[in-house]
């Protein structure tokens, strides 16, 4: 049963990341692409984090994964915001 849960969570995480990649490739403007870039730092990594925690628990691997996803979750919006500001100032 544990393997099924891990497989479903990994499939959801990879699927979310693939949708974000397709969105970045398909959208026309920089700002539309940034929306999909920001989404890539939320749902997918948390599904993958949940899969790792189900499989490995809160040992060293689990804590490292929590730290990586937390950094991605906190730094992602800052990076997107800074990129949007730079793109906007470049347009002017």
């Amino acid at each position: 049963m544990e393997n099924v849960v891990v497989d479903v969570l990994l499939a959801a995480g990879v699927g979310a990341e693939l949708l974000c990649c397709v969105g970045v490739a398909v959208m026309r403007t920089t700002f539309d692409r940034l929306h999909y870039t920001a989404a890539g730092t939320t749902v997918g990594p948390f599904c993958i984090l949940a899969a790792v925690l189900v499989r490995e628990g809160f040992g060293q691997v689990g804590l490292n994964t929590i730290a990586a996803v937390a950094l991605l979750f906190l730094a992602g919006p800052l990076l997107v915001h800074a990129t949007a500001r730079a793109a906007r100032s470049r347009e002017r």
Side-chain angles (χ1 to χ4, degrees), residues 1-84:
M1 183 66 177
E2 178 182 307
N3 288 336
V4 173
V5 172
V6 170
D7 291 343
V8 168
L9 286 169
L10 284 176
V14 170
E17 292 301 315
L18 285 175
L19 284 175
C20 292
C21 290
V22 168
V24 169
V26 171
M27 290 297 126
R28 294 180 188 264
T29 68
T30 302
F31 301 107
D32 289 338
R33 289 178 181 162
L34 284 174
H35 283 289
Y36 285 94
T37 304
T41 64
T42 55
V43 176
F46 279 107
C47 288
I48 294 170
L49 169 65
V52 170
L53 290 178
V54 167
R55 170 73 50 97
E56 300 294 330
F58 286 95
Q60 185 67 36
V61 173
L63 293 177
N64 285 342
T65 308
I66 289 171
V69 171
L71 182 64
L72 183 65
F73 184 72
L74 295 174
L78 296 174
L79 181 62
V80 169
H81 181 75
T83 305

